[in-house]
Amino acid sequence: MPVPTQELKLQIVNAATGKTLSIKDAPGAEGALVVRDLPDGGPSREQWQLVPVLAAQGGQTQDEQAHVIRNAVGGKVFDNPAAADRSVRQWNAASNKKAQQWHVVPVEGEADCYFIETAIDGAVLDLADPGLDDTPVVLSEYDENAKNQRWRFVTAEPERTSDPVLRWAPLSHWNSRQSWRLTRSPALRPAPGATPSFSDMLLVLEAFGSDQDAGGWNSNGANRSPDGRPTWWAGLGARFLADTTGAGGADIVGLKPAKGAVTASSHGDGTFDDERVLHPPASSASPADLWTLADTTGGGKPDIVILSADGLHVFPQDGDGAFTPPGGEPVIQAFGHGAHAGGWVADKHPRFLLDTTGDGRTDIVGFHDDGLWISLQDQDGTFTPPSDEPALKAFGHNEEAGGWITDKHPRYLVDTTGDGRTDIVGFHNDGLWISLQDEDGTFTEPLYVLDDFGIDQGWTTAEEHPRFLLATTADGAVDVVGFGPQGVVVARGRGDGTFEPAKLVLNDFGLAQGWTGKKHLRLMADVTGDGTPDIIGFGNEGVWVSHNRGDGQFDQAQLVCRGFGYNNDAGAWRIDRHPRFLTDITGDGRADIIGFGGPGVYVARNLYRRFRTR
């Protein structure tokens, strides 16, 4: 776990004994620090907050940042009184007092474990006499083999809130008479402080569902983009949202084995047309083919793009909205799953369509066994054949190219410097690596920039711990946002391809709070229309939102919809059968919820409003 911010309340636990750091005398009083057993149901555990003394400067490592460790209740702080027995106490805070400043240093090779050392002489917190009921906490010389000198931070339970809405519901009686009663609504009232809220979950289309009556859809081949976009490449059975006309709407698209791509056009009010064929399959279509819709030329209309056995196919859209018929030669005989097109495998070799150079034309980029391969699009709309060698012999599946495994080591293509050119960001075992793109289009050798967000720090898989690269403030650089073992972790981007030390900013949406990739979706989207991304989690009870305050900090999560959740009373939605998305389907600038359930397509419209009084 990275060092938390001052907003979080923490318990500090000795790693060797499992005992909790407490005060010898009454809570809130000045006195010596001790560790003691506090069984469940007994006295409440002391909670602390880490307050940075100064914001971390460029080039400063995480363990060089000094903190004041403050009692979350009384406000008193850790203090080194320089006593003969080297005891540590809780005392009144004093401005810029060096004896009240501490460094929190990660234990190498042991995730979520730290040394707490004084800023005066580097001595570390230790136990005086392990085994007593109340063991005094003292300062000792650093000893890498001393287990007593290692501490863990345990975040307090998240302070989740909700504001239920009651509505009138019909109540039928045995004699056919009908009355009305108040019952809880699946919707929730916008809470004070302009909290986001959503409408009741409404079935708007009896199609595209997992039930047989709704089509019997099953997303066998769907691939989710690692950066959290709804669907980048989709396989047979997948359902996703795309603008099929260039009008800016969010239409439903699904892939059927016999029909190809089918769609239901959006009306712009949260409802959709009936299903129709958008593009039939080619005679050579394969279950291994991957589809997407993208504007490859910058003309404002999306094309259908397919990665097939023989390479990359692009089917443009004409002025009447029809797509070029299937068949024909690929635009480039590469990036396909056939041997002659490179033998690209969906679960080993990520591929992306995006503008890598800032010229407005879409290129194709992929990570193969031996590294990064690129095909740029020319001014006349043709794709250049890849060279004989990879553009960068790194970030590939083979050991010689780094040993990057798709489900463990997510890789991203994003502009981290603001120069309009795409850089490579990847999370390996040891942390974050980056390769910047030069002015001539070449990529620099990978640089290790952050010792966090990797397997060694507890981020086991891409599914269990989603990571996003996006700006969390309206005018800021690209940041890293991840859902880690202890909660939401953010590393602020400096705008030069490097990042500040990661910090735990929210004690929710993590493994410690019961969120798991096999049951729950966690996404980033703007649900308030203020231009900054909020955190949205599809949990057990329904949909939870943590509002971005505008400065990259997040409020505690609030339940905003009692639907789309894992529990039976929230709809019994499942990851492998029921895709859910956040997108603006009404054109009001705020993300709505759309989900593909058993009976069909469900929508919960965004009801967020900013009220003000005169």
Side-chain angles (χ1 to χ4, degrees):
M1 180 180 77
V3 176
T5 66
Q6 67 270 30
E7 302 259 342
L8 295 184
K9 298 174 182 178
L10 311 160
Q11 299 162 17
I12 303 178
V13 178
N14 184 262
T17 64
K19 296 182 178 181
T20 304
L21 191 142
S22 305
I23 308 301
K24 184 176 182 179
D25 301 312
E30 297 170 350
L33 297 182
V34 297
V35 295
R36 59 170 63 131
D37 281 322
L38 291 170
D40 293 339
S44 59
R45 292 171 168 83
E46 292 284 349
Q47 294 184 357
W48 309 87
Q49 293 172 299
L50 299 184
V51 183
V53 175
L54 294 171
Q57 302 297 316
Q60 194 174 37
T61 63
Q62 178 172 293
D63 55 298
E64 291 172 339
Q65 170 67 60
H67 292 81
V68 170
I69 304 177
R70 181 178 63 196
N71 191 301
V73 177
K76 292 180 171 30
V77 301
F78 278 24
D79 185 85
N80 173 16
D85 61 0
R86 304 238 57 190
S87 60
V88 182
R89 64 183 180 179
Q90 174 178 273
W91 207 252
N92 289 325
S95 179
N96 296 321
K97 184 179 179 182
K98 199 74 170 178
Q100 294 180 351
Q101 297 179 12
W102 307 84
H103 295 146
V104 181
V105 183
V107 176
E108 187 174 352
E110 192 168 350
D112 302 339
C113 212
Y114 297 87
F115 299 108
I116 302 176
E117 68 176 25
T118 175
I120 294 178
D121 58 9
V124 298
L125 287 196
D126 199 350
L127 301 185
D129 205 358
L132 300 177
D133 290 338
D134 282 353
T135 306
V137 176
V138 298
L139 289 171
S140 300
E141 294 298 320
Y142 165 74
D143 181 356
E144 63 179 6
N145 297 316
K147 299 288 187 181
N148 296 327
Q149 296 181 358
R150 304 179 184 187
W151 302 84
R152 299 186 188 278
F153 297 112
V154 179
T155 54
E157 289 296 316
E159 298 172 3
R160 298 171 176 168
T161 59
S162 63
D163 188 9
V165 173
L166 296 179
R167 64 177 178 181
W168 292 102
L171 179 64
S172 298
H173 299 275
W174 63 271
N175 57 1
S176 300
R177 296 186 63 183
Q178 193 173 54
S179 60
W180 297 82
R181 65 176 177 179
L182 281 173
T183 185
R184 192 173 70 175
S185 168
L188 288 103
R189 188 189 317 280
T195 301
S197 190
F198 290 81
S199 70
D200 287 11
M201 194 173 66
L202 179 66
L203 180 64
V204 297
L205 185 63
E206 295 182 3
F208 296 97
S210 60
D211 294 350
Q212 289 303 314
D213 293 343
W217 287 77
N218 185 14
S219 303
N220 292 323
N223 286 346
R224 287 193 171 274
S225 172
D227 64 0
R229 282 173 285 184
T231 299
W232 191 234
W233 296 105
L236 288 180
R239 290 145 289 167
F240 56 99
L241 303 175
D243 178 9
T244 62
T245 63
D251 306 314
I252 296 170
V253 179
L255 300 179
K256 278 190 172 179
K259 292 186 177 181
V262 297
T263 187
S265 299
S266 172
H267 293 154
D269 59 358
T271 62
F272 297 86
D273 281 335
D274 292 333
E275 177 186 312
R276 64 179 177 84
V277 175
L278 181 68
H279 195 257
S283 57
S284 59
S286 164
D289 292 350
L290 297 175
W291 296 55
T292 193
L293 278 87
D295 180 7
T296 63
T297 62
K301 287 184 175 293
D303 311 310
I304 289 177
V305 184
I306 303 177
L307 292 171
S308 61
D310 56 353
L312 177 73
H313 288 260
V314 177
F315 302 99
Q317 187 176 172
D318 60 26
D320 297 327
F323 292 91
T324 306
E329 295 295 320
V331 297
I332 181 172
Q333 193 174 347
F335 300 100
H337 53 83
H340 295 295
W344 294 73
V345 182
D347 59 359
K348 288 175 60 178
H349 307 133
R351 284 152 287 177
F352 302 86
L353 275 176
L354 74 168
D355 178 11
T356 63
T357 61
D359 61 4
R361 296 186 296 273
T362 299
D363 312 307
I364 181 166
V365 181
F367 299 96
H368 208 288
D369 292 335
D370 50 0
L372 177 75
W373 292 81
I374 299 177
S375 175
L376 300 178
Q377 189 178 174
D378 292 335
Q379 293 182 352
D380 59 1
T382 61
F383 287 84
T384 59
S387 61
D388 296 334
E389 296 287 333
L392 184 65
K393 294 181 179 180
F395 298 101
H397 183 80
N398 289 348
E399 288 298 325
E400 296 80 2
W404 293 74
I405 301 173
T406 300
D407 62 349
K408 293 183 178 181
H409 307 133
R411 284 150 284 179
Y412 305 78
L413 291 161
V414 64
D415 179 11
T416 63
T417 60
D419 61 4
R421 295 185 297 273
T422 299
D423 309 308
I424 304 169
V425 180
F427 300 92
H428 210 281
N429 293 342
D430 49 0
L432 190 152
W433 292 77
I434 191 166
S435 174
L436 301 178
Q437 188 179 174
D438 291 334
E439 293 182 2
D440 59 0
T442 60
F443 287 87
T444 61
E445 284 298 311
L447 181 66
Y448 182 58
V449 297
L450 195 62
D451 57 348
D452 216 319
F453 299 101
I455 290 178
D456 293 348
Q457 296 86 34
W459 300 70
T460 52
T461 65
E463 177 190 48
E464 197 66 66
H465 302 295
R467 278 145 279 187
F468 298 80
L469 280 113
L470 72 178
T472 59
T473 58
D475 56 354
V478 169
D479 308 315
V480 181
V481 182
F483 298 90
Q486 297 293 336
V488 180
V489 179
V490 174
R492 309 285 179 204
R494 296 190 176 110
D496 60 357
T498 66
F499 298 86
E500 294 179 5
K503 291 184 178 180
L504 182 65
V505 300
L506 187 64
N507 59 333
D508 210 341
F509 300 103
L511 198 62
Q513 294 85 31
W515 294 77
T516 172
K518 297 186 182 302
K519 292 183 178 181
H520 309 125
L521 288 175
R522 287 154 290 178
L523 303 171
M524 304 286 295
D526 181 9
V527 299
T528 61
D530 64 358
T532 59
D534 307 295
I535 298 170
I536 301 94
F538 294 83
N540 291 330
E541 306 89 346
V543 183
W544 294 85
V545 168
S546 177
H547 183 210
N548 191 327
R549 299 174 187 169
D551 59 357
Q553 298 292 326
F554 296 90
D555 289 329
Q556 288 288 330
Q558 293 191 334
L559 186 64
V560 297
C561 182
R562 288 191 176 94
F564 302 102
Y566 186 85
N567 289 350
N568 288 336
D569 58 1
W573 291 70
R574 297 295 182 260
I575 292 284
D576 57 345
R577 297 198 302 273
H578 307 133
R580 284 150 286 177
F581 305 98
L582 287 146
T583 190
D584 180 11
I585 58 175
T586 60
D588 61 2
R590 299 183 298 269
D592 307 293
I593 304 170
I594 180 168
F596 298 88
V601 181
Y602 288 86
V603 165
R605 286 180 295 181
N606 194 323
L607 301 180
Y608 175 79
R609 295 290 185 272
R610 287 186 181 274
F611 296 102
R612 67 179 180 183
T613 56
R614 296 182 180 180

